[in-house]
Amino acid sequence: MDTAISERLSAELRVPFPSAWEAEVAYNSLSVDKEPKRGHVHRDLSLDGNIMQVCFQASEARTLRVSINSFFEHLKLVCETIDQFRPL
């Protein structure tokens, strides 16, 4: 199924962190995990100071929802890891 860009669904998230360092650690951890090609989801991450911006595009609402849920699960793990190993 070839879906035109105009028919794609999208969602944008802005995730604030206490510092630019934490945002960069999260960005570096999450940017290496690419979306599976079979899901037809495209995800872009970017940094703006202590804000990580995430843009999702998908051809179906279900795949968009699954991708966002998976992202939040990974983000939660990254944040917990940062809390455990944060420099004093």
Side-chain angles (χ1 to χ4, degrees):
M1 177 170 116
D2 189 23
T3 305
I5 292 294
S6 62
E7 296 175 14
R8 292 180 67 84
L9 302 168
S10 65
E12 294 184 20
L13 305 172
R14 292 175 46 90
V15 183
F17 288 87
S19 71
W21 176 82
E22 290 165 311
E24 186 174 355
V25 169
Y27 172 84
N28 289 335
S29 298
L30 296 168
S31 63
V32 296
D33 291 331
K34 303 298 179 198
E35 293 292 325
K37 292 190 187 295
R38 71 179 185 276
H40 303 285
V41 175
H42 181 73
R43 182 186 73 195
D44 284 320
L45 279 85
S46 63
L47 281 179
D48 184 13
N50 70 321
I51 306 290
M52 182 171 54
Q53 300 173 345
V54 190
C55 180
F56 296 88
Q57 290 186 340
S59 55
E60 297 178 0
R62 179 185 177 281
T63 56
L64 182 63
R65 177 181 47 81
V66 169
S67 182
I68 292 170
N69 284 342
S70 176
F71 175 79
F72 276 124
E73 289 176 8
H74 289 106
L75 178 62
K76 181 178 184 270
L77 178 61
V78 167
C79 289
E80 289 171 350
T81 303
I82 289 171
D83 285 343
Q84 284 290 320
F85 295 99
R86 177 179 295 139
L88 299 176

